[in-house]
Amino acid sequence: MGILARITSAAKSSNKSNESSLSAGGHGIDKNQVLAPTDPTVINPMNAGTWQTVRTAPISETPRYFNKAEADALKHLATQKRLEARQAKRAYKSLKKLEQSDAQVHTAHRSYIKEVADSELTKKRSDASTARHLHTLRPEYAKLGFGLDRAENRAQQRIDELKAKIKEKY
């Protein structure tokens, strides 16, 4: 469901077991979900990634002579790899910026979520305060109700007395 649909939706589902658990101080925060990686391949202490590296040419373990064709090919390859290394540095710099941007959005969203949770608590405190206040009014309403019952009984009694007097006359 999209955000506009959720904002304009009047239908709200309610989970009574969560409400009673929440009102008793319970929670539904699963630390494994909170600490779950944002991607299965993300680097973290449980997934250190690979320790592979880039090696274009094999290690030359012993001294040796190279002929002109080998030297020219290595020179061409070295020039090509230098250009590719520059592009790789640019790409990794951009990837870092993307990660930083993603982290900023993630942090901003979590800040928003915290504000939603804080606002919800403020609203629920207000609701609880109102409910407590309404409970304090109950005795007065009961008193008013008893007074009205008493007035109704007196009125009915007076009516009955008047009816009885009228019946006596006729």
Side-chain angles (χ1 to χ4, degrees):
M1 179 183 292
I3 191 166
L4 284 177
R6 276 188 267 165
I7 289 171
T8 58
S9 173
K12 298 280 183 190
S13 64
S14 171
N15 186 339
K16 296 295 181 190
S17 65
N18 280 348
E19 287 177 11
S20 64
S21 177
L22 188 59
S23 67
H27 68 88
I29 302 168
D30 180 352
K31 68 180 178 183
N32 291 322
Q33 286 184 355
V34 172
L35 299 176
T38 57
D39 184 89
T41 60
V42 75
I43 305 301
N44 62 44
M46 296 300 291
N47 180 21
T50 67
W51 298 102
Q52 296 174 342
T53 188
V54 174
R55 180 152 315 279
T56 303
I59 302 291
S60 180
E61 294 182 17
T62 58
R64 64 170 280 222
Y65 289 100
F66 292 89
N67 62 35
K68 183 174 179 356
E70 289 174 321
D72 288 345
L74 285 171
K75 183 175 181 181
H76 176 73
L77 183 59
T79 302
Q80 178 186 343
K81 292 301 174 185
R82 177 172 284 139
L83 294 173
E84 289 176 2
R86 271 192 213 124
Q87 301 312 314
K89 281 175 62 177
R90 285 182 61 226
Y92 281 119
K93 187 175 181 180
S94 295
L95 286 171
K96 280 174 48 178
K97 287 180 182 178
L98 289 171
E99 283 295 328
Q100 291 166 352
S101 296
D102 288 352
Q104 287 176 348
V105 169
H106 183 91
T107 302
H109 183 260
R110 290 301 184 244
S111 177
Y112 160 73
I113 292 298
K114 288 189 282 189
E115 183 56 40
V116 168
D118 289 348
S119 295
E120 179 69 7
L121 179 58
T122 299
K123 292 172 186 177
K124 293 294 107 187
R125 278 185 185 133
S126 178
D127 289 350
S129 173
T130 301
R132 283 190 304 271
H133 181 73
L134 291 173
H135 277 301
T136 66
L137 300 179
R138 288 174 56 205
E140 287 299 317
Y141 275 97
K143 188 175 174 182
L144 292 173
F146 294 144
L148 290 174
D149 287 344
R150 197 168 39 246
E152 181 183 1
N153 287 338
R154 284 185 195 147
Q156 191 60 49
Q157 186 178 16
R158 184 68 182 129
I159 291 170
D160 291 343
E161 289 171 3
L162 291 173
K163 281 182 183 178
K165 281 184 182 180
I166 292 175
K167 283 185 182 176
E168 286 177 11
K169 288 185 180 180
Y170 296 105

